[in-house]
Amino acid sequence: MDKSTNTVNKFILVFIVIQPIMDILTTFTLSFPISVGSLLRTLFMSVLFITLFICFSHKNKKKNFTLMIMAFSGVLVSFIINLLLKSHFNWIWELNFYLKVSYFLVIIFAVLYVNERNCVSTRTLYTATTITSYIVGCTYWMAVLTNTSINSYRYDTSGYSGWFFSANELSAITLILFGLMSIQLIQKKQLAHWFAYIIILSMLPMIGTKTAFIGGLVLISITIAYILWKLRLKIWRDWHAIAFIMIIFLFACFIPYTSIGNNSPPENHVSPTQNELKANSELEALSTYELLSQKILSSRDIYFAEIKKDYLHAHILRKIFGLGYAGDYQNEPKLIEMDFFDLFFSLGIIGSLFAMLPLIFLVKHLIFKKPYFEIKYLLLFTIVGLSVGIAFLAGHVLFAPSAMTYLSIPLMLIGGHKNEQTQTS
């Protein structure tokens, strides 16, 4: 490993490890004109953008350079058009959103650069993941046990987000870390990985969100299926497998006493009031599809309808390059919180297409290579798939700089593993 590559690895290690620290500091500095996390990530994004711009400007990187120019031109044009044509343009809200979109693009291009250059060791990424898991898990339980945790929901639904401001972002982060620790547990089975796995596992039902819990169940199911297949169902031959099954069994036993268990429909039947009877009759009138949509979308369909209306009545230039942040808001703006729809309505037909091209190019780069049918690839692609699913249904992934940083880890690991396999073959 040459000196420059070693420097990149150290930088990546430190940057990943300080992510949860920045998130916690952000929570406690939200009342400031600019939070610690926003300031540091903006500085990081600016430095990385300049670095990538210089690197891609070389002759052998013209494709990446062209993609970069197109993507950021779409963002810049969208910003300028909405600055000129939007009736209510709040500089703070709008600039904050466009910076988040830019952060998403910078991370995608950074992953492309890392995977093409193969300049980050998979060992560095896994080490950073383990350390970060301890920081996230320990601070989370410190917040819960000291009764200083932020509630995941404002109203009746139960859940804890620790000292992390957004439960939705924490759900995506926890799910990514949990999947990566599952790979660590399968590959190395060291005591440090066991503890990190357990502490992240314990968070899944406590956050209270469906995304963290259901996604965690998917990853657990894949891991159990792999262990049973590898041992031909004879788990008594491997004490690691026995320990894992026991941990999952205890996890299942404690679910009814966790936040996600409290959020499930009650089993007991209490005599309904007149209002409840009326509500029940209205629910019965809805189709199964409508009920399922309400449950999954959580009123996002309402915000979708409002922004869609804004889009249909917008100036032609704003249809092409987007409505900016949250459509034509009058008072407090509200995103749909479905990342791909937010991207389309915010950047328009051309802007969103330009922004998606780097992601499509990255996916092509990761998938259409020589395939390797191993459990680590299955879990890595599952992590990415679940994250994309969360982005589509619940948001807070692509335009959440913290979650997007964590998502870059499995994306770099897929490319890194493939590069290592290619080099050793």
Side-chain angles (χ1 to χ4, degrees):
M1 186 182 294
D2 58 41
K3 187 175 180 180
S4 61
T5 303
N6 189 42
T7 302
V8 171
N9 275 271
K10 288 180 179 179
F11 174 79
I12 293 287
L13 175 67
V14 172
F15 186 71
I16 292 174
V17 168
I18 66 172
Q19 290 301 309
I21 299 172
M22 285 197 292
D23 289 332
I24 293 171
L25 289 175
T26 297
T27 301
F28 293 109
T29 56
L30 286 174
S31 59
F32 292 11
I34 182 170
S35 65
V36 171
S38 298
L39 177 61
L40 292 178
R41 287 192 175 104
T42 301
L43 292 173
F44 165 77
M45 179 184 69
S46 302
V47 172
L48 192 55
F49 173 81
I50 295 170
T51 303
L52 291 170
F53 188 86
I54 294 171
C55 292
F56 289 159
S57 63
H58 296 160
K59 289 183 179 180
N60 59 336
K61 297 294 181 182
K62 286 298 181 182
K63 183 184 291 185
N64 291 345
F65 184 71
T66 303
L67 283 173
M68 194 173 189
I69 294 295
M70 290 172 62
F72 283 97
S73 294
V75 174
L76 180 61
V77 172
S78 176
F79 179 82
I80 294 172
I81 286 175
N82 281 286
L83 174 64
L84 298 174
L85 299 180
K86 197 167 185 175
S87 57
H88 291 83
F89 188 92
N90 185 297
W91 271 90
I92 296 176
W93 291 335
E94 299 284 345
L95 187 59
N96 183 52
F97 175 75
Y98 281 105
L99 285 174
K100 288 181 178 180
V101 175
S102 300
Y103 190 94
F104 155 71
L105 292 173
V106 165
I107 291 295
I108 294 298
F109 282 111
V111 173
L112 273 171
Y113 176 80
V114 166
N115 288 347
E116 289 176 355
R117 288 283 303 275
N118 191 27
C119 57
V120 175
S121 166
T122 55
R123 180 183 298 177
T124 297
L125 295 172
Y126 281 126
T127 300
T129 300
T130 304
I131 297 171
T132 305
S133 297
Y134 274 108
I135 296 173
V136 171
C138 290
T139 56
Y140 179 85
W141 281 108
M142 284 174 60
V144 173
L145 295 175
T146 57
N147 201 28
T148 56
S149 172
I150 300 171
N151 291 329
S152 297
Y153 300 95
R154 295 180 182 179
Y155 305 107
D156 297 334
T157 311
S158 176
Y160 304 95
S161 61
W163 290 324
F164 297 84
F165 179 72
S166 172
N168 289 317
E169 289 183 26
L170 179 63
S171 297
I173 292 167
T174 304
L175 194 59
I176 293 168
L177 291 175
F178 182 67
L180 294 174
M181 289 314 305
S182 299
I183 298 172
Q184 288 276 69
L185 201 63
I186 290 171
Q187 289 184 329
K188 296 188 177 181
K189 303 175 182 177
Q190 296 178 359
L191 196 59
H193 301 137
W194 278 100
F195 284 133
Y197 181 87
I198 291 170
I199 199 169
I200 295 296
L201 173 68
S202 66
M203 292 175 59
L204 295 176
M206 291 300 297
I207 299 172
T209 59
K210 296 184 288 290
T211 53
F213 183 68
I214 296 174
L217 292 182
V218 171
L219 293 169
I220 290 170
S221 300
I222 292 173
T223 308
I224 291 176
Y226 170 75
I227 290 173
L228 294 176
W229 172 80
K230 186 179 181 181
L231 297 175
R232 302 297 188 268
L233 302 179
K234 300 175 182 179
I235 62 172
W236 58 86
R237 292 184 175 182
D238 189 341
W239 73 267
H240 289 100
I242 296 172
F244 179 80
I245 297 298
M246 289 179 63
I247 289 169
I248 298 303
F249 176 75
L250 290 173
F251 168 76
C253 291
F254 279 106
I255 287 174
Y257 308 101
T258 62
S259 299
I260 200 71
N262 293 331
N263 294 341
S264 301
E267 296 291 334
N268 55 318
H269 299 280
V270 182
S271 299
T273 64
Q274 193 69 24
N275 289 334
E276 288 171 336
L277 286 171
K278 182 180 178 181
N280 288 335
S281 64
E282 291 175 351
L283 286 175
E284 290 174 0
L286 296 174
S287 67
T288 303
Y289 174 78
E290 289 172 326
L291 288 171
L292 185 62
S293 298
Q294 283 188 3
K295 189 70 175 175
I296 295 175
L297 297 180
S298 301
S299 300
R300 290 178 177 87
D301 54 330
I302 298 174
Y303 300 118
F304 174 86
E306 291 177 355
I307 294 182
K308 179 184 175 183
K309 183 180 177 182
D310 293 340
Y311 182 81
L312 293 175
H313 291 87
H315 189 279
I316 184 62
L317 286 176
R318 296 183 68 210
K319 288 180 179 178
I320 296 174
F321 289 100
L323 307 178
Y325 178 61
D328 292 323
Y329 51 83
Q330 298 298 322
N331 299 311
E332 184 177 356
K334 188 76 174 77
L335 287 171
I336 302 170
E337 294 189 1
M338 298 174 75
D339 285 345
F340 292 100
F341 286 113
D342 283 325
L343 180 69
F344 174 78
F345 286 120
S346 299
L347 298 185
I349 300 171
I350 300 299
S352 58
L353 176 62
F354 285 0
M356 288 301 296
L357 281 176
L359 183 60
I360 295 170
F361 186 75
L362 175 61
V363 171
K364 178 185 175 183
H365 176 78
L366 295 178
I367 293 178
F368 296 104
K369 293 284 184 180
K370 183 180 177 181
Y372 301 101
F373 299 101
E374 298 179 24
I375 183 61
K376 61 187 177 186
Y377 292 118
L378 176 59
L379 286 171
L380 285 170
F381 278 112
T382 301
I383 294 168
V384 175
L386 288 171
S387 299
V388 171
I390 293 171
F392 183 79
L393 289 174
H396 299 279
V397 177
L398 302 186
F399 308 133
S402 178
M404 194 60 212
T405 304
Y406 286 97
L407 182 56
S408 69
I409 302 174
L411 293 174
M412 286 188 286
L413 282 170
I414 294 171
H417 279 310
K418 288 183 180 296
N419 288 328
E420 287 184 359
Q421 290 277 5
T422 304
Q423 289 173 358
T424 55
S425 60

